[in-house]
Amino acid sequence: MVGHISQRVMPIILQIIITFLAARSLAISSVPALIIVPDNSAANVEFFESERAQLSDEIIDAIAHSQDNSLLANLVAFDFNSTTVERNATSCKTYPGDASWPADSVWADFDALLGGGLLRTIPIASPCYDTKEWGPKNVTKCHNLTNSFRVFPTHENDPTSIMWPIFQGKTCMAKSTTSSNATCTLGSYPVHAVNVSSVAHIQLAVNLARNMNIRLVVKNTGHDYLGKSSGAGSLGIWTHNLKSITFFPELELDGYNGPAFKVGAGVTALELYRAAEANNVTVLGSIAPSVGFAGGYIQGGGHTPLSGLHGMAADAALAFQVVTADGKFVTASATSHTDLFWALRGGGGGTFGVVTSVVVKAFPQTDVTFSTWTLGNSTDGTQVVSRSNFLKAVRIFWEMFPVMTDARTYSFFFIFNTNGQLSFDMKTFFAPTHTEESLAALLKPFFDAVKDLNIPFTKPQKSTYHETFLPAYMQAWGRNEFPMGTATGLPGNRLIPKAMWTDPAKFEILWNRTVAHIEAGHHFGVYHQAPGNKQNADNAVSSAWRNAQAFFITKSPNFPEDATTAEIREANRVLLENNLQPWREITPASEGGGSYLNEAAVDEPNWKEDFYGEQYNRLLNTKKKVDPHSVFYATTGIGSDEWEIRGPDLGVTTQNGRLCRTGK
Ligand SMILES: Cc1cc2nc3c(=O)[nH]c(=O)nc-3n(C[C@H](O)[C@H](O)[C@H](O)COP(=O)(O)OP(=O)(O)OC[C@H]3O[C@@H](n4cnc5c(N)ncnc54)[C@H](O)[C@@H]3O)c2cc1C
Ligand SMILES: *[C@@H]1O[C@H](CO)[C@@H](O)[C@H](O)[C@H]1NC(C)=O
Ligand SMILES: *[C@@H]1O[C@H](CO)[C@@H](O)[C@H](O)[C@H]1NC(C)=O
Ligand SMILES: *[C@@H]1O[C@H](CO)[C@@H](O)[C@H](O)[C@H]1NC(C)=O
Ligand SMILES: *[C@@H]1O[C@H](CO)[C@@H](O)[C@H](O)[C@H]1NC(C)=O
Ligand SMILES: *[C@@H]1O[C@H](CO)[C@@H](O)[C@H](O)[C@H]1NC(C)=O
Ligand SMILES: *[C@@H]1O[C@H](CO)[C@@H](O)[C@H](O)[C@H]1NC(C)=O
Ligand SMILES: *[C@@H]1O[C@H](CO)[C@@H](O)[C@H](O)[C@H]1NC(C)=O
Ligand SMILES: *[C@@H]1O[C@H](CO)[C@@H](O)[C@H](O)[C@H]1NC(C)=O
Ligand SMILES: *[C@@H]1O[C@H](CO)[C@@H](O)[C@H](O)[C@H]1NC(C)=O
């Protein structure tokens, strides 16, 4: 029955488009029926053009009453009429091949309603394969893709590709040398994706997915380290093209009075940093330039090189525009949909609604001193330091974490153990408000020790002063040399609370585990940072972040790109048991520790308390309230334990399989 819908939807589309065009030149107060003016307390923040084009009950009625399209109207309506469409009554989301999966004609009608915005997924690496669906192999294209697979724009600019193909299920890998029997299938890529350019697009997609029980996936840049922006048998919402940015030199909103930005869902950190610099202000964004700002980053909390000055990125959020699970477009702020507002600031992306924009505080411009160095045995063996002296210096640096965070600084470095040779590679010591002199004074105890202990520099310390944020940021991270596009390892992390420093006995335990981790040769990246709660925000940012004095990151042992399930399972086990368990033991959630949900091991066993801390119960209540029918699902997201992925076992949780309620 789903298949038999009239094809003649064009007149409606025309009408919608004409109305859209008319709406654009009008003030919000005088727009026609198409444009809903929500109960909008953020009224002094104008909608973006893309946000003015909204779906309304009037439009649904118009669809229903034109050309006998009542069934189509029902499929995308806000209120589902169960007498006209039957949902799959089983406990799973509808899946391609099911009788309840929409027929091609429904997708065609849906595409027409979107004005041509529906994309049928072509797996990014399909040119490397001969397939029935996507045509013959194209060696030129495949080579080009293979060469560019490790750089972010390849995935960011694709409607469904993600940066970590392991979570896609590795069903269509980019390889120039595929054997003739290698296959390419959709895996966890959405079946179709909506190329969003208006709120109406998102509303239509959310309504269709809810009404038809289709899995829904939101993809912005595809950076997510757990595979949350992918899902088999789904309809995708691709927010990449929502690129608008507006600067408000003096915004008054819910008690805030100062500079602010309104940022579209598709804007990346670097795009916002550039806009901030142009207006002589700063914003709280990520270290990687290509991370999306308003998507998973800010909704997951968002740590930032300026956290020592202003806290977490989510703490600066003043209001979100959101399409909720019921398809409605709302403002979430301190005075409107306040539970949703609370949850969107730290409770995780892809869980509570589809954000179309966020309004964030901007902060004064700041100068920054940026510094790097590398310590360890010289590569030619001429300068050597004993292990114990090397570790003595590292320990002094560890002891200085509280002093360094009190001085508003942030650093990111690695301790490498390469065949027993240790090195301390300071990638970025980022010191806002510091001059070269004040930074040198801050770090003097450490560099005095380095000198006394005769520790060789394999790269001398070099500090550079920048009068403003952007050039310092560009020097630190602008080259965007983050490895991505690989399927050769799995990430994990731990947030280490301040208590490990304030209590000397605990510090000894921390140091013991630190040395053990180094000596075991586990991958070891470290941030010193203590965002605390500098904006005094009441939001969902996890208690572990509030307590944090450091952020440790690690990864599983490397495995080959074509690793077997058994190899991946073993690497995942080593990550969870050998790398992470010693950290978990000494920093349990009950004592203020935790793990950052955005850079975590997808199979982190205590994810509820470790990712969400004290906020978990309130988040779960909010999820049940704002998404009672589980329209949104994100692995390890709030409420996700009610669901499981039923698909091929790859030794780690992937998104390649049917999404079903657990326990059946
Ligand atoms: C190289 C690298 C560097 C990083 N650096 C930092 C850092 O400095 N600080 C930090 O805190 N994190 C950092 N991260 C982690 C980053 O915050 C997360 O990967 C984050 O999920 C990325 O969000 P995205 O929207 O760009 O990615 P996506 O993978 O597209 O989306 C991530 C999640 O958010 C959801 N989502 C996306 N857009 C929306 C929307 N509009 N509405 C609702 N849900 C949405 C998706 O469904 C998914 O669940 C880094 C990650 C990488 C790979
Ligand atoms: C649902 O659809 C049927 C058939 O079109 C119609 O008779 C009925 O009135 C609708 N119910 C509601 C609540 O709109
Ligand atoms: C409903 O889903 C089940 C799997 O849970 C599937 O086997 C079945 O074919 C579906 N039924 C319909 C009518 O699509
Ligand atoms: C293969 O791709 C290249 C580059 O996109 C294109 O120029 C060429 O026409 C394609 N070849 C075939 C046989 O389709
Ligand atoms: C190769 O890939 C780049 C993007 O990485 C793209 O801009 C270019 O058009 C591609 N060239 C061919 C021949 O496909
Ligand atoms: C491909 O076919 C060859 C020969 O039949 C077989 O040995 C090999 O295992 C196959 N590879 C895969 C990935 O199925
Ligand atoms: C997506 O839509 C934008 C317009 O908003 C268009 O420029 C772009 O080409 C579309 N992308 C794809 C992949 O169709
Ligand atoms: C930029 O901002 C800083 C700090 O707020 C201020 O001191 C400076 O005068 C501003 N510069 C310009 C050019 O406006
Ligand atoms: C430096 O090399 C010597 C000799 O191989 C070794 O004993 C020592 O542990 C190394 N030091 C570090 C810090 O790795
Ligand atoms: C850590 O403590 C344990 C138990 O006291 C001890 O056996 C071990 O040697 C210590 N390890 C390190 C690296 O200090």
Side-chain angles (χ1 to χ4, degrees), residues 489-520:
L490 299 165
N493 75 73
R494 199 76 195 165
L495 287 161
I496 314 295
K498 291 189 177 112
M500 302 307 286
W501 276 261
T502 48
D503 177 343
K506 284 190 169 170
F507 185 81
E508 290 308 322
I509 293 169
L510 174 67
W511 182 247
N512 174 301
R513 295 291 158 111
T514 298
V515 173
H517 190 90
I518 293 169
E519 290 298 0

Side-chain angles (χ1 to χ4, degrees), residues 261 272-282 365 468-471:
F261 280 98
L272 187 58
Y273 284 147
R274 290 210 166 111
E277 189 80 2
N279 290 290
N280 195 32
V281 292
T282 58
Q365 185 55 277
T468 59
F469 175 82
L470 188 65

